[in-house]
Each structure stands twice: as structure tokens, then as C-alpha cells.
Amino acid sequence: MKKLLSIGFWELIARIILRNRITILLGVILITVAFASQWKYIRFTQSEANLIPADDKVNIDYNNFLDKFGEEGNLIVIATKDPSLFTPKVFKAWTEMMHNISNHKEVDLVISVDNLKTLTKNDTIQSFQLANLVDSKKTADPKYLQEVRNELLNNLPFYEGLLFNKKSGAIRSAIYIDKKIVNTKARKEYILNSLIPEINKFEKETKIDLRASGMPYIRTLNAKTIIDEIGLFIGAALFITGLIFFFFFRSFRATVISLLIVIIGVMWSFGLLGLLGYEITVLTALVPTLVIVIGIPNCIFLINKYHQEYQKHSNKAKALQRVITKTGTATLMTNLTTALGFATFIATNNVLLTEFGVITSINIIALYLLCLLVIPIFFSYIPAPIPRHLGHLEREYLTSFFRWIVNTVKYNRFGVYIVAISMLIIGMIGIHRMRISGSIIEDMPKKTGFFEDIRFFEKEFDGVMPLEIMIDTKRKKGVMKLSTLKRMEELEETILEIPELSKPLSVVNLVKYSKQAYYNNNPDFYELPTAQEQAFILSYAKNATQNSKENLMKSYVDSTGQFARITTFIKDENGENMEAIEARIRAKANKVFPSPRYEVIITGKPSVFQKGTKYLLDNLLSSLLMAFGLTAGLVAIMFRSFKMVLVSIIPNLLPLLMTAGLMGFLNIPLKPSTILVFGIAFGMSVDDTLRFLAQYRLELSRNDWKIKKSVFATFDDAGISMFYTSIVLFFGFSVFMLSSFGGTVALGGLVSLTLFFGMLSNLVLLPSLVLSLNRTLANEQEFIKPTIDILEPSDEEVDAVEKKDK
């Protein structure tokens, strides 16, 4: 290992690169073409992220529910509060729209006021029959339509909460799409190319604003927004990083090659997604932009070193060789730590994060190699830098900034520690105010029309996010026993008492409606039958549904009659209360459905997502600890000193605590998007720490282990690169704040903020800690050589190797 990362090794690499320029460039082109050929296999996700491993009980319960009743997220709803719906012209347009929607092959069933069925008793055949609520021949009469509205709102409690809100008068239609296409591309194509045009046509004809929602609708428009923003992020990242790069270096050629390198990296990232068969999700959609943001600092470090070397001796060939020889191992280690920081997501045992970790870590290493190969070759073909290109090394704002840092570290270390401790205390106070959010839609784009529609349905119909309760009676046809129905009714009464939940839907509602129909549709009889009424009322219901295509019970009782389903809806803003809500339902369920006679499963997308958020939090904390451990190991290899390990960890831990504290003060919850902030920010920030310590370790050997002289010499060599790369990363991650997704905005803003804190911490707190411990550290380092030389070699060492080679 020592030989592998020695000066001679990198001198060999430099010779190979500079002597095989054409071959290497052709290789890069061929690899790029090969990755481009994989773009056709790129797929976009069609469902929400499942944050829990497949073998977890939460997922097992959810999959058991799906096995019995199919995909629960197949309902699309369309609604309006406009009273003119029950006027001849508008009602005709509504009927036509619903008829067209129901004729699409992707739609299983449409329940709407225009085609609504009511139960009527037929004593002759001892059965209920389904009759039309609306007589299509009379819909031209305004008075008749008002009678239909009154009948619906006042005499059909079975449909309350499903099709209408009695208090506000809001009316909606329920569209059940084919469960087989819910998580496929066909769902997206149907909603975008068929359903939305039908809605737009109705709105244009009637001037009435319709509201549409439901999980398939939300998923489709949410995914479309993600896809649309990929191009925005890439374009914004290229523009902002290129602009900053040019501002620093004032070189058009250096800017162009740097942007070209990261564009190739973006092409590779898309190709890798296709090659590995990964879907583009809300996380993997960020990878191309991350490639740009992470790649530009690599270019800055290498080009800045080239300019520094050329300024020393004005020999272009020698400067290019030393860019590789003197920075090879240091840049490799910093890129490895960044890649390992992202790779820790693989250990979460979560498919979404594992794919994100694999893609980002591979791309970071590939991008490092691309920079290492292309930048020296490019500059070997173009003229040497002119004084204008080297002017950034002595720019006034830089020298003033570093003069302030040096003076602070020299004369005011006590003040530095006071500020650091104050920030630590503030961060700890803020952490106690942090909350965890299990909301599915909290990160969705709030300025879009479909998000406003979600809020409409939450207000009028208590939400669109289904919470499912599955009851196993442990015997066939056990659901339709009156004792079971009464137990279910008792559980539903508890659900009604929970303000966050909507009116539940189950077979109990249908049985109550059956009794109402038996008593000539008198709404006063909307209740469960008595023991005496049970036999003949349930037999009527059975005769009505056994041969009916529109079996009203099939959605709430499985084919064996053993499993029952209760569906309620929860406002997504109550995701944080999910645990308390489930606990209350569970307590009642255990009482009315005692084990082992019954088994009750509480599941549904909101429940699974909320549990997944907590699972993610636990696992990412472990991943973060792993990242700390990896960093500590590298520092231990460099210095073989426990104190230096602490010195390296503290400046990177403080920015994370500050960011966490600000999240508490600003009421930004912990959720899948913001949890990622800490792993990403640490992986990026620790690069500056290792870069500073690597240069500092070299300066120690150059300056006879004189701590102060070595620390301040480190500023002269590595300080500018640290400043440049931190500024690029700060503004690079800020482009995510252009997103319409709250989670992406929070991710970009918080990572940028953390990296800014990290830059100041590494430039001020880190050297202060080193100087405060100078005596003991000097004694330890004076006699101990590092196990692996991962430092930039001195000019004398490079000259010796070059001379030997010649």
C-alpha cells in the first residue's frame, strides 16, 4: 500500500497520462458513447418510495392487505362546490365527461351522481335491486335536478363522505382505475393524455373550476414535476458553478474544460442509471446535479495547483507533471471520503437509499478519474497561463480574508472557542425542538394546482390518504355474521371520534343501507339490522350482489368472506400524529376483536411512510456514525494520534449540530429529505479537513516539526483551494432551492448552510485546535512517521524521483 501511494507511483501515473494523451481521450469518448447507449433503459418511478426493508413486519402486513384487496391507491376523485352543477347545461356536460371517462379501458368503475345507483326492495324475488337515482329523460328540468340534489344530500347517508359533504354541498365523483396499471407507465399516460384533457374540456365549456386528486393522480403529477426539474437543476448548476469558476480564474479555456468534464460526468451518471436498471426517483434525480457540484471543486483544486506550480518555475511540462505527482494521493483520499460518505447510505438496508448511495459513490470516483486524466492532457495542448490567469493567487479580497483568519487564529483563539461553545449550546437547544414528520405530501410542490386540490379534499372530505384496517375473522364467511358487524361498528365509532380521520367506509355501511332500503329507503332506518331482521335483510343483500357485475361488497370483503376491510382517510398534515392515532385505534381493536379469535392489521400508505421515516432516521444515524469512523480511521493513519482524530472530528461535528439546531428553531422537521443533509454535508465538509491536515502534515516535515510555522504555511498552500471549493459547493447546492419540492429546497439550503459553517470551522477552529495542542502533538509527531504517505510530496522529494527516473 505504501508503495502503491508513494511519490514514485504517482510519478509513473503522470508519465503514463502525459505520454498516452490520444489513447486516453479516445478511451473517454468510447466510454461516454457506451454510457449514452444505456440511456434508453432509463425508467422513471411510478410510486412513492418505500423506506422500509421488504422483510420488515410493516411491509409484510401491507403486502398481506394488498394480496387480499389489491392496490388501495387506485381511487381518483373529481369534485366541485359550485351549486350550478345541478343546472341542465352543466349537469349535461358533467354526465358527458363521466361517461367518456368510464369508457376508457384503464377505468374499472365510476361512481358519480349522474350514474348513481340506489337500493330498492323487490319482494317478489326477495332481493334488492339497483335503480338509477337520476332519470336521464328529466335532466333538462331544473326543478327535477334540485330534487335529485336534495335526495342525495338528505336521504342517502350511505354516500355521505364518499360522494358529498352535506355541510358544504361539495359533490365529487369516485373513479376507480384498473389496479393492474396503478404502478405502471400506463397510469401516467392515461391521466396525462385522457383524464386531464376531459377535465379541461369540461372547465372550458362550463367555466366551473374542478378539483382532482387521489393517489394515482398525485403520483403522476408529482413524478412529472420531478422529471421537469432535472433539466432545471442541471442547467442552473452548470451556469452558477461555471460563473463562479470564471470569476475566480478569469480563464475562458479553464472554465470550458471544467464544464465539459462535468457534462461528460452527467452523461455517465444517466448511463449508469440505465445500466443498473435503477428508476429515477426524487433522490436519484439529484445525482446529475450532484456530479456537477462535486466535479467542479475537483477541477478547481487541480487547476489551482497547476497555476501555483507554474508560478514557481514557469515550466508548463514540469507543472503538469507535478499536478499529478504532488496531489494524486491527497485528491484520491478526499474523493474517497466523499464517495464513502455517500456509500454509507448503502448500509441502510433501504432500496431507495441504497440505489442513491451506489450511483453517487461510483460517479464520484469516476469523475475524479476523469478530472485527473483530462485536465493535464487539456492543458498540455494549450498555451501556458498568462499573468491574468495567475492573478487570482494574489487577489486582494483573498489576501484580506486569509489575513483576518490568520490574525484570528494567532491572537484570538480564546474568542474562537467561546463562539464555538456558544454555537454548540444554541445547536443543542434547537435540537430539542426538532420534530419528525411522516407526511407524504409535505415535500410536494406547494405552488402547483394539484397540491391546492389536495388541500381542498382535506378540507371538504377529510383527506385523500387512505388508512386501512384489515380484520381477519379466522373463519370463512365470518365477516357477515351480525356479531362481527357489530364489532366493526363499535370500532368505526371510535374512528369517528378521532378528529384527524374521515368517516370510515366498510361493509357495515352497505348492511345499514340494506336495512334502509328494506324499509322503503327511510333514512331513519340507516342502521344495522337486529337479530330478528338479520336473516331476511342479509338474504336480500346476498341475492342482489351474487350475480351482479357491480358487487358493492367486493371492495370491502374478500372472496372467502373471512377478511373485512375498513377504509378511512387522514389529512396528510396529521402524519406526525399517526403513531398516536394508530395507538388509539389499536387499543379499541384489541378490545372488540380479542386475539387469537381475530387478527387486526392497521396499514396503508400514510402509515407505512410514517414508520419508514423513523426507520430511515435510525439507520442514517448509524450511517453517519460510520462516516465519522471512516474519517477517524484516515486521520489515525495520517497521524497515529487519538488527539488529532478529535481535532479532525470536532470542526465537522459542530456545523452538523448547528444545522440541526437551526432546523429546530425554524420548525423544519426531520423527514427523508432533510435527514440526508447530514450525511451529504459531512461527506463534503470533511474533504477540507483532510486536505488541510494533509498539507499540515507535509509542512511539519518541511519545517522541523514547528507547529505554528507549519499551520500558517498550510494556509498559503491549501487555503485558496479550500475557499474556492467551499464557495462553489455553497452556491452549487443552492440551486436545489429553485425546486418546487419543499424537501429538495430544504436539502439544498441546509447542505449549503452546513458547508458554509464547515468552511469557517475548518479554516478557523481546526487550526486553532491544532495550535492549542501544539506541544503534545509535536512530541508525538516528531518521532512517528505515518503508515501511508498520503501527503503532497515536497519539491525536493519530487526532484529526487524525477532525477532518478532520468
Side-chain angles (χ1 to χ4, degrees):
M1 184 69 175
K2 185 175 181 179
K3 290 183 179 180
L4 183 64
L5 298 179
S6 65
I7 304 167
F9 170 78
W10 287 109
E11 200 278 336
L12 174 64
I13 295 297
R15 194 184 326 130
I16 291 173
I17 292 174
L18 295 173
R19 290 182 181 180
N20 298 275
R21 295 175 294 177
I22 301 298
T23 303
I24 290 173
L25 291 178
L26 288 175
V28 169
I29 293 172
L30 289 175
I31 293 172
T32 304
V33 171
F35 274 124
S37 68
Q38 299 298 311
W39 292 358
K40 59 186 176 183
Y41 300 113
I42 293 175
R43 297 176 294 119
F44 297 93
T45 183
Q46 304 296 336
S47 61
E48 299 84 16
N50 192 332
L51 305 176
I52 305 177
D55 57 354
D56 190 274
K57 187 179 185 304
V58 173
N59 263 339
I60 292 174
D61 287 345
Y62 182 65
N63 290 329
N64 285 339
F65 169 82
L66 296 182
D67 289 340
K68 297 295 184 300
F69 295 101
E71 172 64 45
E72 105 275 24
N74 69 324
L75 172 64
I76 298 175
V77 286
I78 300 175
T80 180
K81 286 181 67 175
D82 197 316
S84 63
L85 174 64
F86 290 93
T87 58
K89 179 183 177 181
V90 177
F91 195 83
K92 180 182 178 182
W94 179 272
T95 302
E96 182 181 345
M97 177 180 66
M98 291 302 161
H99 177 72
N100 292 340
I101 290 173
S102 63
N103 283 339
H104 288 115
K105 66 180 185 298
E106 295 88 354
V107 176
D108 270 350
L109 177 66
V110 174
I111 302 177
S112 177
V113 63
D114 58 284
N115 69 357
L116 198 60
K117 306 294 183 181
T118 59
L119 283 180
T120 58
K121 182 177 65 170
N122 188 328
D123 290 325
T124 303
I125 60 175
Q126 293 188 336
S127 174
F128 293 121
Q129 291 182 319
L130 294 174
N132 292 324
L133 172 67
V134 179
D135 185 346
S136 59
K137 298 178 181 179
K138 299 180 180 180
T139 54
D141 184 357
K143 292 183 178 179
Y144 173 74
L145 289 177
Q146 290 302 314
E147 291 174 2
V148 169
R149 182 177 184 274
N150 292 334
E151 175 73 12
L152 176 66
L153 297 181
N154 298 318
N155 297 328
L156 294 174
F158 174 73
Y159 292 109
E160 185 175 1
L162 176 64
L163 294 185
F164 66 88
N165 181 334
K166 189 173 182 178
K167 293 180 180 179
S168 68
I171 303 293
R172 73 176 180 181
S173 294
I175 302 167
Y176 293 90
I177 67 172
D178 187 352
K179 293 179 179 179
K180 295 178 182 177
I181 71 163
V182 167
N183 294 320
T184 68
K185 186 179 179 181
R187 180 208 73 212
K188 180 192 74 171
E189 293 175 348
Y190 164 69
I191 290 175
L192 295 179
N193 301 328
S194 300
L195 180 66
I196 292 179
E198 287 289 348
I199 294 173
N200 293 338
K201 178 184 175 184
F202 174 88
E203 291 179 331
K204 185 177 180 180
E205 289 180 3
T206 63
K207 310 302 181 185
I208 291 177
D209 183 30
L210 295 184
R211 304 285 188 170
S213 194
M215 292 307 297
Y217 188 84
I218 293 170
R219 289 171 180 170
T220 300
L221 296 190
N222 193 56
K224 182 177 182 299
T225 308
I226 293 174
I227 295 168
D228 293 342
E229 288 192 349
I230 293 176
L232 171 67
F233 290 152
I234 292 175
L238 286 172
F239 175 78
I240 193 68
T241 55
L243 189 65
I244 296 172
F245 190 98
F246 184 79
F247 175 77
F248 285 153
F249 288 94
R250 307 295 169 89
S251 169
F252 180 76
R253 292 175 299 188
T255 304
V256 168
I257 189 58
S258 299
L259 292 179
L260 179 62
I261 287 172
V262 294
I263 288 172
I264 293 173
V266 169
M267 296 173 69
W268 288 10
S269 68
F270 280 120
L272 193 60
L273 282 169
L275 180 65
L276 298 178
Y278 291 169
E279 292 182 340
I280 292 184
T281 64
V282 70
L283 279 184
T284 52
L286 305 179
V287 172
T289 310
L290 286 174
V291 166
I292 297 171
V293 174
I294 295 172
I296 290 293
N298 272 334
C299 298
I300 287 176
F301 188 74
L302 292 172
I303 294 174
N304 187 66
K305 191 63 182 175
Y306 169 58
H307 287 171
Q308 287 178 331
E309 287 296 322
Y310 185 81
Q311 190 180 47
K312 290 178 182 179
H313 44 67
S314 300
N315 185 324
K316 188 177 80 167
K318 189 175 182 180
L320 288 174
Q321 186 178 33
R322 289 191 173 183
V323 165
I324 302 170
T325 305
K326 297 176 71 173
T327 67
T329 308
T331 52
L332 174 62
M333 286 299 175
T334 52
N335 278 273
L336 276 178
T337 55
T338 304
L340 288 172
F342 283 97
T344 56
F345 293 137
I346 300 172
T348 60
N349 195 25
N350 170 268
V351 175
L352 183 74
L353 285 175
T354 296
E355 292 181 355
F356 178 67
V358 169
I359 288 291
T360 48
S361 55
I362 292 176
N363 273 289
I364 287 168
I365 297 301
L367 196 61
Y368 160 70
L369 294 174
L370 190 62
C371 293
L372 187 68
L373 294 172
V374 174
I375 286 179
I377 292 175
F378 173 80
F379 281 99
S380 70
Y381 281 113
I382 65 174
I386 59 179
R388 174 169 58 86
H389 298 156
L390 304 178
H392 68 95
L393 297 173
E394 298 176 353
R395 208 161 279 151
E396 177 59 30
Y397 69 85
L398 268 182
T399 56
S400 299
F401 176 68
F402 281 101
R403 193 181 305 119
W404 171 78
I405 290 178
V406 169
N407 289 335
T408 301
V409 173
K410 271 185 178 180
Y411 308 115
N412 197 21
R413 288 199 294 277
F414 181 75
V416 170
Y417 299 143
I418 292 296
V419 172
I421 293 172
S422 300
M423 293 174 68
L424 177 63
I425 294 172
I426 293 172
M428 297 300 292
I429 294 172
I431 288 174
H432 286 289
R433 298 187 179 187
M434 292 180 71
R435 59 188 178 89
I436 299 175
S437 171
S439 168
I440 296 178
I441 70 169
E442 184 172 5
D443 286 343
M444 290 183 181
K446 294 179 172 55
K447 295 181 180 180
T448 58
F450 79 86
F451 188 87
E452 294 176 1
D453 290 350
I454 292 173
R455 293 306 186 202
F456 171 86
F457 283 100
E458 289 191 337
K459 179 181 178 182
E460 298 295 333
F461 296 94
D462 295 321
V464 293
M465 302 296 172
L467 183 64
E468 303 286 357
I469 302 168
M470 187 173 73
I471 301 163
D472 182 2
T473 64
K474 301 293 182 73
R475 56 186 183 275
K476 292 184 178 181
K477 299 182 180 180
V479 172
M480 297 307 294
K481 291 186 176 295
L482 186 58
S483 59
T484 304
L485 294 172
K486 287 184 176 180
R487 293 174 188 272
M488 291 176 64
E489 183 183 38
E490 189 175 349
L491 180 58
E492 289 183 10
E493 288 172 355
T494 298
I495 294 174
L496 284 171
E497 294 172 359
I498 301 175
E500 293 90 348
L501 300 179
S502 70
K503 177 186 174 183
L505 302 172
S506 72
V507 69
V508 173
N509 303 71
L510 181 59
V511 175
K512 288 180 177 180
Y513 188 25
S514 299
K515 180 173 179 178
Q516 177 187 348
Y518 187 82
Y519 288 100
N520 300 317
N521 276 315
N522 185 340
D524 293 336
F525 288 92
Y526 185 74
E527 60 187 10
L528 286 177
T530 63
Q532 291 78 14
E533 297 168 327
Q534 174 189 6
F536 51 87
I537 290 179
L538 292 184
S539 67
Y540 270 59
K542 180 180 178 181
N543 292 336
T545 58
Q546 61 183 356
N547 296 316
S548 173
K549 182 180 178 181
E550 297 177 334
N551 189 337
L552 297 177
M553 288 197 297
K554 67 180 181 179
S555 294
Y556 298 102
V557 182
D558 79 314
S559 58
T560 66
Q562 178 178 332
F563 295 88
R565 168 189 183 184
I566 299 175
T567 300
T568 182
F569 294 90
I570 182 172
K571 295 181 180 179
D572 189 72
E573 63 191 25
N574 296 306
E576 296 174 38
N577 302 327
M578 182 67 70
E579 193 172 336
I581 292 170
E582 286 193 23
R584 187 171 175 184
I585 296 174
R586 174 64 62 189
K588 186 66 175 180
N590 290 341
K591 182 178 178 182
V592 297
F593 292 103
S595 180
R597 290 177 56 195
Y598 301 93
E599 182 182 3
V600 178
I601 291 175
I602 302 173
T603 186
K605 279 291 182 185
S607 176
V608 173
F609 191 85
Q610 193 269 345
K611 293 181 176 71
T613 300
K614 288 199 169 184
Y615 175 87
L616 188 61
L617 177 60
D618 293 339
N619 281 270
L620 282 179
L621 287 175
S622 302
S623 299
L624 195 57
L625 289 175
M626 186 186 302
F628 274 108
L630 291 171
T631 303
L634 285 173
V635 175
I637 290 173
M638 290 168 62
F639 293 94
R640 294 169 63 184
S641 165
F642 177 72
K643 291 179 181 178
M644 282 302 290
V645 170
L646 291 179
V647 166
S648 66
I649 293 296
I650 291 173
N652 290 288
L653 181 60
L654 184 61
L656 300 183
L657 293 175
M658 272 300 297
T659 300
L662 283 176
M663 289 173 63
F665 286 119
L666 299 176
N667 197 31
I668 300 174
L670 275 174
K671 49 189 176 181
S673 54
T674 55
I675 290 172
L676 295 176
V677 167
F678 303 101
I680 293 175
F682 179 79
M684 305 298 298
S685 177
V686 78
D687 281 358
D688 279 345
T689 303
L690 292 178
R691 193 165 288 154
F692 185 94
L693 291 179
Q695 185 64 34
Y696 163 67
R697 181 66 177 78
L698 170 63
E699 298 297 339
L700 281 173
S701 61
R702 284 177 175 175
N703 296 288
D704 297 325
W705 304 98
K706 294 178 181 178
I707 301 293
K708 285 187 179 181
K709 189 175 181 180
S710 299
V711 166
F712 299 127
T714 301
F715 281 118
D716 294 335
D717 198 293
I720 292 178
S721 293
M722 291 171 63
F723 175 76
Y724 282 174
T725 56
S726 296
I727 294 299
V728 169
L729 290 171
F730 175 82
F731 285 103
F733 276 98
S734 295
V735 304
F736 291 126
M737 298 180 70
L738 298 173
S739 174
S740 52
F741 289 87
T744 307
V745 171
L747 176 69
L750 291 172
V751 170
S752 297
L753 192 63
T754 308
L755 291 176
F756 179 76
F757 285 142
M759 178 189 71
L760 295 178
S761 183
N762 281 312
L763 288 176
V764 180
L765 181 59
L766 176 60
S768 297
L769 290 171
V770 173
L771 287 174
S772 296
L773 298 172
N774 59 2
R775 290 184 180 178
T776 54
L777 290 176
N779 290 336
E780 290 177 9
Q781 295 158 3
E782 187 171 0
F783 302 105
I784 298 176
K785 294 293 183 183
T787 305
I788 299 174
D789 184 7
I790 68 166
L791 313 173
E792 178 186 317
S794 65
D795 292 341
E796 293 77 11
E797 290 172 310
V798 174
D799 288 336
V801 173
E802 290 174 353
K803 184 177 180 181
K804 180 180 178 182
D805 181 63
K806 290 176 182 177

